[in-house]
């Protein structure tokens, strides 16, 4: 079938340790050049923030605002010049708390000095004047004219980072504050070209655009799968969708709160335990509206914690606001459009929560309530999000944060929730509240990914399914809490009548726990566990014999979604490989070390399943690397695998694959298994020997892939 590859000598060649000189500074990628070509002046290289930040404790959007003024280009000389200018600005004008007295002295001696600080304003009712406070400079009572406050009302709630000119004039009257505000400029854009943004979007493929957005929030898209990217971008929906209620619970260190504190000047991040009804909604004493009236997004950090004390009145007002976009504290009913985000840490694994309680188990008792939970539009499964590592940050180009923040804010007026209806309809028993959640998530993702409204039916289906899954995750947990809640058959139908049932990833991974205590629970025939036992064999179980299984094996196609766990070669392949004495694997990508490891793990399973006295012939058809150095390492790797396999009674033959990119397994016991990704189904592992996934495949997350099992006539 293919040309035999002679690995006899290659197996004996010692692998050299000389990897050559270290790479020089990375050149802009093709995507980076395209980004600069279509969005000149609106993008910046994302690693520059670290280069200029130093010890300035300011949000990323403040730094990128400055970089956008001086370094929004791909010309290296201009970038370096801009970096130095931003560094000088920060060094001269950013106020460090421990240097506040020095800055005050500069203002006094020079008479006028520009600073970067967080400014908040209050109304002094007794004197009928507005007064500003400067967080780092530590001065209060600075007079602010009404026109400045009217133009920048967020100064009244939470404060805003600003460029300010401060003057000093001493008076013998001790009641007069010597500090005078000469000029105040909030650090955010004043205008942008929305039509140009839409035109620019049309120049990018969907994959390129998603990567641009991922780079814009600071991450390297090459280290994220498609589903992982969608989870990251879902965090942006509250900025683009009015009154969107989002929850994310998961392990520590996954960047849950980063976007809400660093990404946009229109978001406010507060501690879940540091908010009151007057501060969040309205102060009855003076009628002053709270945070929801001024910010696009109010995010509650560290929201989880069963024993946290909560204000029952606040919970009740919040439930009404999340459902009706309005609130009342007994005086009058007011409306607002701020989205609500709740992020917190989990302390147990997903199967533990499913077995003993539910996926909202970590919430404070007052919020562990079906009426509150039913207001949530989407649940981001934080356990799927990788812990943030240094190599995950991007050095590519992305939108200047303030630019994309203004774009998203402008799209809050738009509604894309019905754009799927020309292709699909939702299930008839999905309730109005469930539909609202699905629609708002779908609309938000459409605005983010397809603002120009040019999406294919397949692309629309992808985000519709994703939106349904996020709402289903909420509803399924509510059903556990509240017996009065009816179960819902979540899914959608094409206009041709084809029905697609939607499941959550943890439902597919842990069906026994997910449907615990729910007799007659709605399930879908597409789960793998219907036909193949996913339970791994006990470590000390007796080695299976290589006999034809008594049960009828599944025939047909199976799809697996990104980030799914509980999958292994043993459950995927071994039921079909038992009884075979000759096995062929066609996989063009057995090149890298992790791909060689995949092959070894499959061969080890075959070796452990057969009688030690028997032999199995395994024929690998693959493609050799073109680069001579890479090919040399590939041949060395394959030679070592051949030697190891021979010691276990497996005769491994390697030949060149004549079939291009098709990947499949064929056995002499009558099975053909078509492999969407070949053996390379697992995501990259970074924990080395201390990563549980390095020991058992069931603990690894997979990439999205499909497998088709075909019974051939013998």
């Amino acid at each position: 079938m293919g040309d035999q590859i002679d690995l006899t000598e290659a197996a004996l060649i010692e692998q050299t340790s000389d990897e050559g000189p270290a790479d020089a500074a990375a050149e802009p990628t093709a995507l980076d050049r395209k980004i600069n070509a279509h969005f000149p002046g609106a993008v910046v290289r994302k690693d520059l923030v670290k280069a200029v930040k130093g010890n300035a404790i300011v949000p990323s959007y403040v730094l990128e605002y400055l970089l956008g003024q001086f370094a929004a280009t791909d010309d290296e000389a201009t970038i370096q010049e801009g970096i130095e200018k931003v560094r000088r600005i920060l060094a001269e004008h950013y106020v460090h708390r421990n240097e506040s007295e020095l800055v005050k002295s500069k203002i006094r001696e020079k008479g006028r000095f520009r600073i970067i600080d967080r400014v908040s304003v209050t109304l002094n009712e007794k004197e009928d004047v507005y007064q500003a406070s400067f967080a780092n400079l530590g001065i209060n009572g600075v007079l602010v004219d009404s026109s400045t406050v009217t133009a920048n009302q967020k100064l009244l709630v939470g404060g805003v980072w600003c460029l300010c000119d401060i003057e000093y004039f001493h008076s013998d009257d001790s009641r007069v504050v010597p500090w005078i505000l000469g000029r105040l400029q909030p650090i955010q854009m004043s205008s942008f070209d929305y039509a140009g943004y839409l035109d620019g979007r049309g120049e990018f493929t969907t994959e390129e655009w998603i990567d641009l957005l991922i780079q814009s929030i600071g991450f390297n898209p090459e280290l994220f799968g498609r589903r992982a990217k969608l989870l990251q971008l879902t965090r942006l929906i509250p900025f683009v969708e009015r009154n969107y209620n989002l929850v994310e619970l998961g392990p520590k260190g996954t960047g849950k709160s980063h976007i809400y504190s660093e990404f946009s000047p229109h978001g406010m991040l507060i501690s879940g335990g540091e908010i009151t009804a007057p501060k969040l909604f309205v102060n009855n004493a003076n009628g002053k509206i709270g945070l929801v009236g001024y910010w696009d997004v109010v995010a509650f950090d560290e929201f989880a914690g069963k024993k946290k004390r909560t204000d029952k009145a606040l919970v009740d007002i919040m439930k009404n606001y999340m459902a009706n976009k309005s609130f009342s504290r007994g005086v009058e009913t007011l409306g607002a459009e701020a989205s609500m985000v709740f992020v917190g840490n989990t302390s147990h694994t997903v199967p533990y929560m499913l077995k003993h309680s539910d996926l909202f188990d970590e919430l404070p008792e007052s919020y562990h309530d079906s009426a509150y939970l039913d207001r949530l539009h989407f649940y981001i499964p934080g356990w799927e999000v990788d812990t943030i590592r240094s190599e995950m940050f991007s050095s590519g180009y992305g939108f200047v944060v303030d630019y994309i923040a203004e774009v998203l804010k402008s799209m809050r007026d738009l509604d894309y929730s019905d754009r799927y209806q020309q292709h699909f309809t939702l299930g008839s028993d999905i309730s109005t509240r469930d539909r609202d959640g699905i629609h708002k998530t779908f609309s938000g993702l459409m605005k983010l990914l397809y603002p120009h409204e040019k999406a294919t039916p397949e692309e629309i289906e992808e985000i519709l399914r994703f939106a349904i899954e996020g709402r289903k995750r909420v509803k399924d947990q509510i059903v556990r809490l509240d017996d009065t809640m009816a179960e819902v058959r979540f899914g959608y139908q094409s206009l041709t009548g084809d029905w697609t049932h939607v499941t959550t990833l943890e439902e597919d991974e842990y069906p026994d726990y997910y449907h615990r205590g729910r007799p007659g629970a709605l399930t879908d025939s597409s789960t793998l566990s219907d036909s193949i036992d996913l339970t791994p064999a006990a470590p000390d179980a007796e080695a299976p014999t290589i006999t034809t299984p008594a049960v009828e094996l599944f025939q047909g196609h199976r799809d697996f979604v990104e980030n799914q766990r509980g999958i292994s070669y043993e459950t995927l392949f071994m039921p079909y490989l038992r009884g075979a004495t000759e096995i062929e694997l066609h996989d063009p990508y057995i090149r890298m070390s992790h791909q060689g490891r995949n092959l070894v793990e499959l061969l080890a399973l075959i070796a452990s399943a057969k009688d030690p006295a028997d032999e199995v012939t395994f024929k690998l058809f693959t493609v050799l690397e073109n680069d001579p150095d890479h090919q040399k390492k590939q041949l060395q790797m394959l030679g070592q695998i051949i030697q190891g396999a021979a010691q276990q009674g497996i005769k491994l033959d390697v030949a060149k694959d004549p079939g291009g990119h098709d990947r499949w397994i064929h056995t002499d016991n009558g099975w053909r298994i078509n492999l969407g990704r070949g053996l390379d189904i697992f995501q990259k592992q970074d924990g080395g020997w201390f990563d549980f996934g390095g020991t058992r495949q069931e603990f690894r997350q997979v990439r999205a892939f499909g497998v088709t099992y075909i019974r051939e006539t013998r």
Side-chain angles (χ1 to χ4, degrees):
M1 294 181 65
D3 296 334
Q4 194 71 20
I5 298 175
D6 184 6
L7 294 171
T8 306
E9 294 184 7
L12 301 176
I13 299 175
E14 293 186 2
Q15 187 170 357
T16 63
S17 59
D18 182 14
E19 299 296 337
D23 291 337
E27 292 291 326
T29 64
L31 177 60
D32 288 334
R33 288 190 287 271
K34 191 171 185 178
I35 290 169
N36 274 284
H38 294 289
F39 292 100
V43 296
V44 69
R45 216 176 70 201
K46 287 296 174 170
D47 59 338
L48 300 184
V49 172
K50 289 184 179 179
V52 302
K53 187 165 188 175
N55 61 348
I57 307 174
V58 295
S60 295
Y61 66 80
V62 173
L63 299 175
E64 289 198 16
Y65 174 86
L66 298 173
L67 288 167
Q69 307 298 308
F70 307 109
T73 176
D74 60 350
D75 179 70
E76 190 62 31
T78 305
I79 288 175
Q80 293 305 318
E81 183 180 340
I83 288 175
E84 291 305 315
K85 189 161 188 176
V86 173
R87 282 174 173 166
R88 287 197 300 272
I89 291 173
L90 289 174
E92 294 175 10
H93 302 289
Y94 172 74
V95 180
H96 295 271
R97 283 193 175 93
N98 59 355
E99 297 178 352
S100 60
E101 293 302 318
L102 176 61
V103 176
K104 290 179 186 177
S105 175
K106 287 182 180 180
I107 299 172
R108 179 184 183 276
E109 298 304 321
K110 294 184 177 182
R112 183 185 183 98
F113 189 71
R114 178 165 294 179
I115 67 170
I116 299 174
D117 203 350
R118 188 176 184 90
V119 184
S120 58
V121 172
T122 58
L123 173 64
N124 185 330
E125 296 96 336
K126 292 183 179 179
E127 300 183 14
D128 191 30
V129 293
Y130 290 106
Q131 296 176 325
S133 300
F134 294 76
N136 290 353
L137 189 57
I139 61 176
N140 304 295
V142 182
L143 296 181
V144 185
D145 62 86
S146 298
S147 60
T148 299
V149 176
T150 301
N152 305 281
Q153 294 194 5
K154 288 180 183 177
L155 291 167
L156 294 166
V157 186
V160 177
W161 283 93
C162 302
L163 288 167
C164 302
D165 290 340
I166 305 295
E167 301 176 7
Y168 181 85
F169 182 81
H170 178 71
S171 171
D172 292 334
D173 187 347
S174 60
R175 295 173 298 176
V176 176
V177 176
W179 311 105
I180 301 170
L181 179 62
R183 175 175 174 270
L184 181 146
Q185 177 187 348
I187 295 181
Q188 56 191 84
M189 292 182 62
S190 58
S191 63
F192 69 96
D193 180 9
Y194 182 62
Y197 175 80
L198 295 182
D199 290 341
R201 167 63 183 95
E203 299 296 328
F204 291 78
T205 67
T206 298
E207 194 64 40
E208 289 173 337
W209 186 255
I210 290 175
D211 287 354
L212 168 53
L213 293 177
I214 293 296
Q215 288 186 176
S216 296
I217 61 179
F219 290 128
N220 180 359
E222 293 183 1
L223 298 183
F224 294 79
R226 178 73 165 217
R227 180 178 172 88
K229 292 174 185 177
L230 288 178
L231 290 174
Q232 290 287 344
L233 296 181
T234 301
R235 293 171 170 174
L236 297 181
I237 295 179
F239 291 102
V240 77
E241 195 71 22
R242 288 174 174 168
N243 301 102
Y244 186 74
N245 306 321
L246 177 68
V247 64
E248 179 175 359
L249 301 176
K252 297 179 181 179
T254 56
K256 291 185 289 294
S257 60
H258 168 79
I259 280 180
Y260 310 109
S261 62
E262 300 283 331
F263 183 77
S264 171
H266 304 301
M268 168 64 71
L269 180 70
I270 55 179
S271 173
E274 296 180 358
I275 194 66
T276 61
K279 185 176 181 181
L280 184 60
F281 292 108
V282 65
N283 189 324
N284 280 348
N286 55 23
K288 181 179 176 182
I289 197 168
L291 297 174
V292 296
Y294 296 95
W295 297 92
D296 290 349
V297 179
V298 178
F300 296 81
D301 194 14
E302 299 176 357
F303 187 69
K306 290 183 179 181
K307 297 182 180 179
K308 277 192 174 182
R309 297 180 60 184
T310 54
D311 181 353
K312 185 63 168 61
L314 174 63
V315 177
D316 291 338
I317 299 173
M318 188 179 294
K319 284 193 289 190
N320 185 64
Y321 172 73
M322 291 168 65
N324 305 314
K325 310 172 189 176
S326 63
F327 54 91
S328 172
R329 296 195 63 225
V331 178
E332 61 177 321
T333 300
L334 301 171
E337 61 180 52
S339 295
M340 307 288 272
V341 179
F342 308 92
V343 297
N345 297 328
T346 55
S347 55
H348 297 291
T349 65
V350 173
Y352 182 96
M353 289 187 286
L354 291 174
K355 181 177 181 179
H356 296 282
S357 56
D358 56 77
L359 297 179
F360 289 110
D361 179 60
E362 300 287 345
L363 294 186
E365 185 177 351
S366 296
Y367 292 97
H368 200 251
D369 168 71
S370 60
Y372 160 77
L373 299 177
D374 206 22
R375 272 76 170 165
L376 297 171
H377 298 129
F378 195 97
Y379 186 147
I380 295 179
W383 48 86
E384 288 189 41
V385 181
D386 277 347
T387 302
I388 302 301
R389 307 182 302 275
S390 58
E391 65 267 24
M392 295 172 70
F393 295 108
S394 175
S395 59
Y397 284 81
F399 288 121
V400 174
V401 163
D402 198 50
Y403 171 82
I404 189 62
E406 294 304 315
V407 170
L408 300 187
K409 181 178 179 64
S410 72
M411 288 195 288
R412 289 170 71 88
D413 294 331
L414 305 176
D415 181 10
Y416 285 17
S417 62
D418 63 348
R419 300 305 193 267
Y420 71 90
Q421 293 178 1
Q422 57 184 316
H423 304 289
F424 307 100
T425 58
L426 293 179
S428 59
D429 63 340
I430 294 179
S431 69
T432 299
R433 187 160 285 172
D434 293 329
R435 286 175 183 269
D436 288 344
I438 294 167
H439 284 169
K440 291 183 77 68
T441 301
F442 177 83
S443 177
L445 288 174
M446 278 292 294
K447 294 177 191 178
L448 290 169
L449 304 186
Y450 310 104
H452 59 336
E453 301 189 61
K454 296 179 181 178
T456 66
E458 293 76 20
E459 290 170 336
I460 288 175
E461 182 177 15
E462 176 188 32
I463 60 175
L464 177 62
R465 185 181 187 120
F466 189 77
I468 294 173
E469 180 193 338
R471 175 58 190 179
K472 184 180 192 297
R473 183 172 290 109
V474 173
K475 192 58 171 283
D476 285 352
Q477 305 314 302
I478 295 175
V479 170
R480 284 170 170 256
L481 294 171
D482 190 343
D483 293 336
T484 65
M485 285 280 189
E487 287 197 47
V488 179
R489 183 174 174 83
F490 281 90
Y492 57 93
Q493 192 170 25
S494 69
L495 298 187
T496 60
D498 295 330
W499 169 261
T500 299
H501 182 69
V502 175
T503 60
T504 67
L505 185 53
E506 57 273 11
E507 181 178 6
D508 295 335
E509 291 179 333
Y510 313 107
D512 293 339
Y513 295 142
Y514 198 89
H515 301 289
R516 172 185 58 83
R518 294 164 59 190
L522 296 172
T523 58
D524 181 57
S525 60
S526 66
T527 57
L528 181 65
S529 56
D530 289 343
S531 58
I532 300 176
D533 183 9
L534 284 174
T535 306
D540 57 351
E542 183 181 349
T545 57
I546 195 159
T547 59
T548 303
V551 296
E552 186 70 25
L553 295 179
F554 170 78
Q555 301 180 53
H557 185 76
R558 298 291 187 198
D559 279 317
F560 301 85
V561 298
E562 181 183 340
N563 292 344
Q564 189 166 345
R565 288 188 174 91
I567 305 303
S568 68
Y569 292 164
E570 183 165 3
T571 56
L572 284 176
F573 304 138
M574 289 310 296
Y576 301 87
L577 302 186
R578 291 190 174 95
T581 58
E582 289 190 7
I583 302 170
E584 288 181 10
L585 168 63
H586 291 251
D587 190 333
Y589 297 106
I590 307 294
R591 303 174 179 179
M592 310 297 291
S593 58
H594 74 278
Q595 294 165 340
R597 171 185 172 178
N598 292 335
L599 176 60
V600 169
E601 290 179 339
L602 178 60
L603 294 174
L605 285 171
I606 295 171
S608 66
K610 72 178 185 61
D611 188 297
D614 293 337
E615 288 186 349
V616 172
T617 299
F618 192 100
K619 298 179 180 180
L620 170 64
F621 296 89
T622 191
V623 175
L624 293 181
E625 289 273 14
N626 291 324
D627 180 83
D629 291 334
H630 291 166
Q631 185 182 109
K632 177 181 176 180
K633 292 180 180 180
Q634 181 187 15
L635 294 177
Q636 291 168 355
M637 176 185 74
L638 292 172
Q640 292 173 5
I641 296 174
I642 287 174
Q643 289 183 332
Q647 295 174 3
Q648 308 304 326
I650 297 179
K651 185 178 184 297
L652 174 59
D653 295 325
V654 182
K656 294 179 182 178
D657 188 355
H661 291 272
D662 287 344
R663 285 161 266 196
W664 44 277
I665 292 174
H666 182 268
T667 71
D668 65 351
N669 65 348
W671 286 99
R672 177 186 171 105
I673 306 173
N674 290 339
L675 310 173
R677 283 188 175 271
L679 298 183
D680 200 3
I681 64 174
F682 298 105
Q683 297 184 24
K684 181 181 177 182
Q685 299 290 121
D686 295 296
W689 292 107
F690 307 108
D691 192 323
F692 276 50
T695 303
R696 300 287 300 224
Q697 291 180 334
E698 294 86 347
F699 298 140
R700 302 179 200 169
Q701 289 179 304
V702 301
R703 305 176 183 183
F705 72 98
V707 179
T708 303
Y709 303 91
I710 303 170
R711 182 69 173 177
E712 299 180 331
T713 57
R714 301 176 63 182

